[in-house]
Every structure is written in structure tokens, then in C-alpha cells.
């Protein structure tokens, strides 16, 4: 074993450990930022390990280095620009795109080795069978991940809709046909080395077929599942090129994505089978008879401030609209005024509020809201009956009582925040439009609910001004 190989293994070992620590750290809001940086360092080390391996391998011509340098520069530049430009609200689409890039990389690596066998690291004896199986898995999962992620991104971005025929039973027949086609191609590829392109086409179309029919509130589950697939594809690509680092990292991403998928399914009270084969919740919901709202009460920011002045406990419920309005900073200001008045303040976090897992945590962390004030759904739900005021900010589906008491609702069974149990509920949103699931919200018609119509940022600015005029928080906040 040469010195270069020893250094490569040492670097890869450190990279794997840092990646494991990074993934672990992502499970807590407090450590998530540092964990992300740790994982980025792990990736940089992994690249370094590959380069050292390259340096120690004789026979690599200079054009390969040119490709590596150009690829690193272009990829690095695109990553840097994306991280600066993408707004928080477009993060799910970005995650979908990144998953797709992961799938595409694994697909291309496997294609490269299949088309130019010399590019593979080992392929002798029984190793040839392992390599052939690895290529099949890498191509199959990589292609599904790539095409499925592109469709998911298009749907989240609003570029793609679910076609009517995709909601009929016909889609199951088509998807089963595509799966059978891919299986035949896979067997042919392992047995005789034929059928590579058939496998690429079959699995790419299968990725489109499975993802296109999914919609509405099920999208977060699909994104995390595709994330898991990208890990599986990377692990398979690791077997193809004989990279232990890629195998371990891919397996970790695959497992983490699968656990997240399960957590999301639990949060929405849906099984994975139901998500994948149940069709578009959003589409079926929008077709349902929503009816007109009856007996809506609305009030101004001034009336809201008067109620807040006398409250002892206030809970804010952030949702997607808060992120759209970018009102997290002014929300923190309002909360500080209330706290300075001695009012107990908390934030109720629904696991799928917003458009991606952890969306609200990230948003509020950006405004330096203390972590200990972010209370998860299971913990805060029993506390609503002794809460004086709940202010729902741009949230809709996650506070819809129909999820609990209307078996005909598409949201039925999804655990929600029981905000209507508080003494008074204010709902801040621009109008009576539906949320992501496209359905009516009976919370708005409750006698203890008042709508405060307007953009969340404008309403909260008005609220802060009214509170200051009332002298709320004057004792400690200037
Ligand atoms: P939501 O149900 O989509 O409702 C958001 C509400 O915000 C809308 O009703 C909208 O009403 C309001 N709004 C939009 N812009 C606003 C602004 N500038 N100021 C004030 N209000 C504004 O959001 P949610 O309650 O957070 O629920 C999340 C939904 O998305 C769930 O169905 C969940 O399953 C789904 N989902 C979640 C994820 C995830 O991973 N977290 C991913 C994809 C989908 P107006 O237009 O009337 O203002």
C-alpha cells in the first residue's frame, strides 16, 4: 500500500465521520447550521481523497485533469450562485433539483463504466457480476431519481400540473408496464450486456409516471423519498467504481432520507403506499365542493392589539404565508414587546408547516427567535385550552379542524394544531384563499376566530405600532 493510498483512506475516514456527525447535527435546530458546514467540509475532503487517488494512479492523461478542473469550477460556481440567489420559499424546488443532480451523477457514472468498461476500477471474475448488478441498480435508481426530481421540481414551481388521465387507474397499468420493461432490460443487461438504453428509458419514464400523479400535501414526502433514492443511487455508483467513501456516504443519505420520509408520513397520517399510489390529494381536493364561508368575523390590527394587551399567554402559529411575506423579523419585534409586558410567548411548530421539512424552524432561526420558544405540535396541543390568544400567521392547512372532525375532508387524519381551543384566535392572511391542499378551513367560521386580512408583514408592522401606542412593552423595550 503506497503512502498516497494510506492518505486517501485516512482522508475518506475523516470525511465519513464528519458526514455522520453532520447528519446527526441536522436533527436539532440549534446545531443545524454548524452541521451543514461540517457536511460541506466532509464533501470537500471526499473530493480531495478522489484527487489524491487520481494523482497516485498512473496513466491518467492530462485531458482528464482538464475535465476535473472545468467540472469543479462550473459545479462550484453554480452551487455558490444558487445558495445566494434562491429565496427560502423556493427551497423545496431547489432540494428537488439537488436530488435530481445526485441521481443524474450516479446514472452518468454507471453509464460511463458500462459504455467504457476500462473506466471501472475492478471487473474480474465474480467481481464482474457484482459490477453488472451495481450498474443496473445505479442506472435504475439514478434515472428514476433524476426524472422524478425534475417532475417534482416542475410541480412545486407551478410549471407542471397532474394530467387528468394520471388520476385514473390507467396510470397504475402504465407504471406496472414500465417497471416490467425495466426489469426485463435489467435482466438482459446482467445476463448478456444488452439492454442498457432500454433500462435508461424505462426507468426514466417510470420516475415521471410515479411522480407526476402525486400532488398537493404529499409533495414533501416525495421530496424526502427522492432524497433517499439519490443516496441509494450514489451507494450503487460506489460499488460500480469501487469507492468505499461513496458507498458509505450514499448508504447514510439513503437511510436518513428514508427515516425523514417515515417521519413526514407520520406527520400527515398517511402511509407511503397511499402517498405513492393514492393520487393527487391537491387535485382531488380542489375538485371537491368547498362551499361558501358563513359568518366570518374580521377585525383590524388595533382590535387585535387591544386583546393582546390583556393576555397572559400568546401562541404564534407560523405557516407558509409568513415565509412568503418575509415577516419573521417583525414577528420577533412583536413578540419582544409582548414579553417585555410580562406576557408568555411561544411559537407552535407543525412538522409540515410551510413547503419543506423544518421550514418554520429555519425561518424563525433567521430572525433569532429563541429555540426554546419553538414548541412542537405534540407538546403544544394540550396547552391551547389555557392559551388566551393564538395568532395564526399565513398558516392554513395545519390549523384546519376538519382534519380531525370531517371524515370526508382530504386532510382527514392529518394531525393539526388545535388552535380553536384557545380563548381567542386571530388568523392573519390576505383573503379567504385556500392553502396548499386547496380546501376550505372551518376554523375561519368559528365564533372565537377573527380574521385580520392583509399581508403578514404589513399586519404585524401595524400591530407593533398599535402595541407601542398602547404602551405595551414600554417598561423594558424602548
Ligand atoms: P398553507 O396551508 O399552504 O396556507 C398558507 C396560507 O398563507 C394561504 O392560505 C395564504 O392565504 C396565506 N398567505 C400567502 N401569502 C401570504 C402573505 N404574504 N401574508 C399572509 N398570508 C399569506 O400553509 P401551511 O398551513 O403552512 O400548510 C402547509 C401545507 O403545505 C400543508 O398542506 C403541507 O402538507 C403542505 N406542504 C408541506 C411541505 C413541507 O415539507 N413542510 C411541503 C409541501 C407541501 P391568502 O392567499 O388568503 O393570503
Amino acid at each position: 500500500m503506497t503512502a498516497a493510498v494510506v492518505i486517501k483512506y485516512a482522508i475518506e475516514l475523516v470525511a465519513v465521520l464528519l458526514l455522520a456527525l453532520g447528519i446527526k447535527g441536522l436533527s436539532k435546530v440549534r446545531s443545524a447550521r454548524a452541521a451543514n458546514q461540517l457536511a460541506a467540509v466532509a464533501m470537500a475532503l471526499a473530493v480531495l481523497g478522489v484527487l489524491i487517488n487520481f494523482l497516485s494512479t498512473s496513466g491518467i492523461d492530462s485531458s482528464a485533469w482538464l475535465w476535473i478542473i472545468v467540472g469543479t469550477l462550473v459545479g462550484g460556481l453554480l452551487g455558490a450562485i444558487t445558495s445566494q440567489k434562491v429565496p427560502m420559499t423556493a427551497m423545496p424546488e431547489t432540494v428537488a433539483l439537488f436530488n435530481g443532480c445526485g441521481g443524474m451523477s450516479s446514472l452518468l457514472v454507471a453509464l460511463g463504466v458500462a459504455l467504457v468498461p476500462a473506466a471501472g476500477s475492478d471487473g474480474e471474475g465474480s467481481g464482474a457480476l457484482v459490477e453488472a448488478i451495481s450498474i443496473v441498480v445505479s442506472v435504475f435508481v439514478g434515472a428514476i431519481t433524476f426524472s422524478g426530481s425534475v417532475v417534482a421540481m416542475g410541480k412545486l414551481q407551478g410549471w407542471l400540473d397532474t394530467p387528468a388521465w394520471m388520476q385514473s387507474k390507467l396510470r397504475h397499468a402504465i407504471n406496472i408496464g414500465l417497471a416490467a420493461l425495466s426489469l426485463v432490460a435489467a435482466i438482459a443487461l446482467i445476463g448478456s450486456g444488452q439492454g442498457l438504453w432500454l433500462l435508461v428509458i424505462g426507468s426514466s419514464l417510470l420516475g415521471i409516471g410515479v411522480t407526476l400523479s402525486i400532488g398537493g400535501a404529499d409533495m414533501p414526502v416525495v421530496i424526502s423519498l427522492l432524497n433517499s433514492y439519490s443516496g441509494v443511487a450514489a451507494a450503487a455508483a460506489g460499488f460500480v467504481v469501487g469507492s468505499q467513501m461513496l458507498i458509505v456516504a450514499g448508504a447514510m443519505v439513503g437511510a436518513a432520507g428514508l427515516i425523514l420520509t417515515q417521519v413526514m408520513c407520520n406527520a400527515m397520517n398517511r402511509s407511503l403506499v397511499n402517498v405513492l399510489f393514492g393520487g393527487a390529494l391537491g387535485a382531488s381536493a380542489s375538485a371537491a365542493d368547498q362551499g361558501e364561508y358563513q359568518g366570518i368575523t374580521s377585525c383590524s390590527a388595533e382590535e387585535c392589539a387591544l386583546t393582546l394587551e390583556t393576555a397572559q399567554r400568546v401562541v404564534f402559529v407560523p405557516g407558509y404565508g409568513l415565509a412568503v411575506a418575509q415577516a419573521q423579523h417583525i414577528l420577533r419585534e412583536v413578540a419582544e414587546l409582548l414579553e417585555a409586558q410580562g406576557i408568555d410567548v411561544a411559537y407552535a411548530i407543525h412538522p409540515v408547516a410551510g413547503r419543506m421539512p423544518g421550514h418554520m424552524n429555519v425561518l424563525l432561526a433567521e430572525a433569532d427567535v429563541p429555540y426554546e420558544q419553538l414548541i412542537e405540535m405534540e407538546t403544544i396541543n394540550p396547552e391551547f385550552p389555557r392559551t388566551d390568544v393564538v395568532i395564526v400567521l399565513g398558516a392554513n392547512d395545519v390549523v384546519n379542524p376538519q382534519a380531525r372532525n370531517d371524515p370526508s375532508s382530504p386532510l382527514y387524519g392529518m394531525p393539526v394544531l388545535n388552535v380553536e381551543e384557545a380563548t381567542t384566535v386571530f388568523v392573519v392572511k390576505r383573503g379567504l384563499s385556500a392553502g396548499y391542499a386547496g380546501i376550505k378551513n372551518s376554523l375561519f367560521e368559528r365564533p372565537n376566530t377573527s380574521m385580520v386580512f392583509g399581508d403578514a408583514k404589513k399586519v404585524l408592522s401595524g400591530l407593533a405600532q398599535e402595541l407601542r401606542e398602547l404602551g405595551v412593552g414600554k417598561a423594558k423595550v424602548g
Side-chain angles (χ1 to χ4, degrees), residues 53 68 74 86 103 119 204-205 230 242 251 274 335 376:
N53 194 31
I68 290 171
V74 172
V86 170
S204 299
L205 290 177
S230 71
N274 189 279
E376 292 188 3

Side-chain angles (χ1 to χ4, degrees), residues 1-154:
M1 201 181 278
T2 64
V5 174
V6 173
I7 293 172
K8 180 201 117 168
Y9 279 131
I11 288 178
E12 288 191 351
L13 189 63
V14 175
V16 166
L17 288 175
L18 290 184
L19 187 65
L21 286 174
I23 291 180
K24 186 171 187 303
L26 285 175
S27 63
K28 297 253 180 321
V29 179
R30 194 183 293 273
S31 54
R33 199 182 290 255
N36 209 13
Q37 285 162 355
L38 216 57
V41 172
M43 287 301 104
L45 284 177
V47 173
L48 189 67
V50 172
L51 290 181
I52 289 177
N53 194 31
F54 246 44
L55 274 173
S56 64
T57 314
S58 56
I60 302 283
D61 65 62
S62 55
S63 70
W65 284 107
L66 188 68
W67 280 107
I68 290 171
I69 292 166
V70 172
T72 309
L73 286 180
V74 172
L77 200 67
L78 283 178
I81 294 172
T82 312
S83 69
Q84 297 298 317
K85 294 264 180 234
V86 170
M88 188 54 81
T89 44
M91 209 45 100
E93 292 91 308
T94 314
V95 173
L97 190 65
F98 282 165
N99 290 343
C101 289
M104 185 176 62
S105 314
S106 307
L107 171 66
L108 291 179
V109 166
L111 278 180
V113 174
L115 295 171
V116 191
S121 52
D122 52 17
E124 298 151 19
S126 64
L129 180 66
V130 173
E131 188 179 282
I133 294 174
S134 307
I135 288 175
V136 164
V137 176
S138 196
V139 168
F140 180 66
V141 186
I144 288 184
T145 311
F146 172 61
S147 61
S149 299
V150 171
V151 170
M153 190 199 78

Side-chain angles (χ1 to χ4, degrees), residues 92 156 216-220 264 268 318-322 324-325 351-360 393-399 411 414 428-437 444 454-457:
L156 285 170
D218 292 337
M219 232 3 150
M264 298 300 287
M268 297 162 80
Y320 176 66
L322 186 80
V324 174
V352 295
R355 290 291 181 271
M356 63 176 180
H359 200 168
M360 295 302 115
L393 294 154
N396 196 338
D397 298 338
V398 298
V399 291
L411 284 182
M414 171 171 150
V428 179
K429 67 200 290 290
R430 297 163 306 173
L432 288 171
S433 326
Y436 197 77
F444 306 164
D455 171 80
K457 196 173 190 172

